[in-house]
Amino acid sequence: MAQDFLADDDQRAVKDYDHAFLLNSAGDATQPAAELWSEDGKLQLSVTTSAPALQFYSANYLAGTRAREQESYTAFQGIALESEFLPDSPNHAEWPQADCWLQPGDRWESVTRYRFTPR
């Protein structure tokens, strides 16, 4: 993805990534939905989820937010990986995994695991 950073007009409009990705592994919390490595290669993050999609947000609007150990964060100084249905799914019955309506008494569960591994 690094080569695609701010590569098109849509990304520049939102200042970077804030996109949902439909997962090939939807429903299977044993398959990695995302894997990330620290710049020095010493730490790996693996995300597994039974949810149908993963929202990837690259902290486009973090600049100026108060931080704990410094005055404030800069843009892109964080990341969020959020398991979910595709945004606007209730309005798109033709989308895979679009059935996200719950009726009173219904129950829906999703399992998401974030695993950090030193390398």
Side-chain angles (χ1 to χ4, degrees), residues 40-62:
D40 63 7
K42 293 182 179 180
L43 186 64
Q44 178 183 357
L45 168 63
S46 180
V47 180
T48 59
T49 184
S50 60
L54 196 67
Q55 182 82 18
F56 169 45
Y57 172 67
S58 58
N60 332 359
Y61 294 96
L62 196 59

Side-chain angles (χ1 to χ4, degrees), residues 2-113:
Q3 71 275 9
D4 299 326
F5 185 73
L6 297 178
D8 64 44
D9 291 338
D10 289 337
Q11 286 179 351
R12 285 189 290 275
V14 296
K15 296 186 178 181
D16 195 16
Y17 287 100
D18 194 1
H19 298 72
F21 293 87
L22 185 63
L23 302 172
N24 290 333
S25 61
D28 185 356
T30 65
Q31 298 298 313
E35 292 182 320
L36 291 84
W37 293 265
S38 61
E39 186 175 3
D40 63 7
K42 293 182 179 180
L43 186 64
Q44 178 183 357
L45 168 63
S46 180
V47 180
T48 59
T49 184
S50 60
L54 196 67
Q55 182 82 18
F56 169 45
Y57 172 67
S58 58
N60 332 359
Y61 294 96
L62 196 59
T65 303
R66 283 183 48 116
R68 212 182 293 171
E69 308 224 352
Q70 60 198 44
E71 258 184 62
S72 64
Y73 291 109
T74 61
F76 316 115
Q77 204 172 0
I79 190 170
L81 297 168
E82 306 163 6
S83 58
E84 60 181 30
F85 281 92
L86 288 174
D88 206 27
S89 286
N91 298 310
H92 294 276
E94 74 279 9
W95 286 0
Q97 306 295 325
D99 187 17
C100 59
W101 286 103
L102 290 180
Q103 299 300 320
D106 287 351
R107 182 178 173 165
W108 182 79
E109 286 186 16
S110 174
V111 174
T112 302
R113 292 184 179 95

